[in-house]
Amino acid sequence: MSLDLPLRPELRGLSPYGAPQLDVPVLLNVNENPYPPSAALVDDVATSVAQAAAGLNRYPDRDALPLREDLAEYLARESGVRLPAGCIWAANGSNEVMLHLLQAFGGPGRTALSFAPTYSMYPEYARDTCTDWVAARREEDFSLDPGRAVAAVAEHAPAVVLLPSPNNPTGTALPASTLLAVLDAARQVPGGCVVVVDEAYAEFRREGTPSALELLEDHPHLAVSRTMSKAFGLAGARVGYLAASTEVVDALQVVRLPYHLSAVTQAVARAALRHTGSLMEQVASLRSERDRTVAWLRDRGLQAVDSDANFVLFGVLPDRVAVWQGLLDRGVLVRQTGPEGWLRVSIGTPAEMTAFREALVEVAGL
Ligand code: PMP
């Protein structure tokens, strides 16, 4: 007898989202930080978790205020923008932060707008919150044309605009002038519009690239999302956060599940924040490795998109599936994403990038 489940029609036949998790020597496919936590950080995490463990019979601090204070302090050091803890929100990865945003500001009859190619989870947040999804286009060079972005906001009157900066999978940062134009257009949307700048990779931005945090003071409809998964090398802990006006943060508190952030997660995140100095030194070396990778790909006659992130989109390959498979056969896993003919490689250790280059020379006949 077949089981008749009342699955929502739009979910029928769908598979769960996720890149392949394969056991190969060189993992360069999900933009992780290749450096495991230092011994000092592991010790600090272990001590902090032991302390948290002694109180696990109780629910965690529901408002996670000490963590939000530490995150505010970190943002002040990182970008010079000082915010009160009430302007910070934290959740299980920035994935959950953005789901909270769509739960609060999206919903039936409302639209979320982004510009493709863009982060492939956005349409899933929209689908799961019954929000209409519109993907307008980026330009040929993957930048966002301010005039066309403003026109898209005017045309679709979205409740939420999702702007990753740097963008995944292209690595393209958003100039402040373009963001200001979108913020202005969003103000004109009847019923209001929240502009979310997803800065998951912000710490990897090149010298002179601004953070949207600088615009928060004058734009209460702006929300800037960040994560500890990338620069902090803490993808396994699942900690993301957001900076915005207290009005936005108060709205997110309404839709979160009670005690959504475990006491263990809060303890781990606070321990990692105590090691910001050494972690940011690693970020600097990943940035240099990224710039070397872009230069090498171009030297070999390929296109590589300028990147402000810890990954590089490169192409154009006549048969990207064959190149992806050839790299995998040589123990190097990259990501098939972006427009046809392009592949994305995350920046690994120098040894991993050597393995990537050697494999690519063989596979693509460079
Ligand atoms: N935003 C972007 C643009 C991303 O690429 C990712 C991770 N791949 C995320 C958000 C989510 O990261 P996390 O949930 O680990 O914070």
Side-chain angles (χ1 to χ4, degrees):
M1 206 176 71
S2 74
L3 180 60
D4 202 9
L5 289 175
L7 187 62
R8 286 163 47 190
E10 64 274 27
L11 301 184
R12 292 206 180 120
L14 296 187
S15 322
Y17 173 88
Q21 284 194 306
L22 305 178
D23 187 14
V24 293
V26 182
L27 291 169
L28 303 175
N29 71 327
V30 286
N31 303 338
E32 291 157 329
N33 191 318
Y35 297 107
S38 66
L41 175 48
V42 169
D43 279 354
D44 202 354
V45 164
T47 309
S48 305
V49 169
Q51 278 164 9
L56 283 179
N57 57 312
R58 300 289 177 196
Y59 283 110
D61 175 355
R62 199 172 39 211
D63 296 326
L65 261 182
L67 171 60
R68 288 159 66 198
E69 272 157 17
D70 290 354
L71 288 166
E73 188 55 42
Y74 164 69
L75 288 181
R77 278 174 64 185
E78 198 266 340
S79 66
V81 177
R82 186 162 285 284
L83 299 160
C87 290
I88 306 289
W89 181 239
N92 295 283
S94 51
N95 274 159
E96 191 183 42
V97 167
M98 278 180 282
L99 186 63
H100 286 161
L101 281 161
L102 285 191
Q103 284 175 326
F105 300 109
R110 295 178 170 206
T111 297
L113 169 71
S114 192
F115 297 85
T118 192
Y119 182 37
S120 34
M121 274 303 293
Y122 295 159
E124 306 227 351
Y125 310 140
R127 180 199 67 202
D128 293 348
T129 56
C130 303
T131 308
D132 292 333
W133 166 247
V134 174
R137 301 295 312 167
R138 286 177 172 261
E139 304 302 301
E140 282 291 298
D141 64 356
F142 306 124
S143 67
L144 207 59
D145 176 74
R148 285 162 55 130
V150 164
V153 172
E155 179 186 347
H156 299 290
V160 180
V161 180
L162 293 161
L163 296 174
S165 180
N167 183 42
N168 181 5
T170 65
T172 318
L174 192 67
S177 53
T178 310
L179 177 55
L180 282 166
V182 173
L183 284 165
D184 219 30
R187 272 220 184 86
Q188 320 299 320
V189 173
C193 170
V194 175
V195 177
V196 180
V197 179
D198 175 358
E199 291 195 345
Y201 302 94
E203 287 89 346
F204 298 97
R205 67 192 184 274
R206 287 171 296 173
E207 200 76 30
T209 305
S211 162
L213 292 169
E214 294 169 26
L215 303 180
L216 277 174
E217 196 178 352
D218 298 326
H219 299 89
H221 60 315
L222 168 65
V224 183
S225 164
R226 293 257 183 139
T227 183
M228 295 187 77
S229 296
K230 313 295 180 181
F232 282 87
L234 220 60
R238 311 302 301 125
V239 185
Y241 57 103
L242 164 138
S245 58
T246 44
E247 289 86 345
V248 168
V249 172
D250 288 350
L252 302 183
Q253 305 227 19
V254 175
V255 297
R256 60 109 179 92
L257 294 173
Y259 318 111
H260 68 294
L261 205 54
S262 86
V264 171
T265 306
Q266 293 183 40
V268 172
R270 296 192 71 203
L273 284 160
R274 289 194 286 272
H275 295 255
T276 299
S278 53
L279 289 166
M280 292 311 133
E281 281 167 27
Q282 274 174 4
V283 167
S285 72
L286 286 165
R287 265 199 240 116
S288 317
E289 195 64 41
R290 177 224 25 230
D291 294 342
R292 273 196 292 280
T293 304
V294 169
W296 180 85
L297 287 161
R298 289 177 180 166
D299 273 358
R300 294 289 164 142
L302 289 170
Q303 292 184 53
V305 184
D306 281 333
S307 174
D308 279 274
N310 67 339
F311 53 83
V312 177
L313 190 72
F314 66 97
V316 177
L317 305 159
D319 184 350
R320 75 162 163 183
V321 181
V323 173
W324 180 84
Q325 186 62 54
L327 292 173
L328 182 56
D329 294 342
R330 287 160 182 78
V332 179
L333 181 61
V334 300
R335 187 77 177 264
Q336 283 184 60
T337 181
E340 196 47 56
W342 296 81
L343 291 173
R344 192 193 69 196
V345 61
S346 310
I347 302 303
T349 62
E352 288 171 332
M353 296 320 285
T354 302
F356 162 72
R357 286 191 296 267
E358 287 175 0
L360 189 62
V361 165
E362 275 181 40
V363 173
L366 301 179

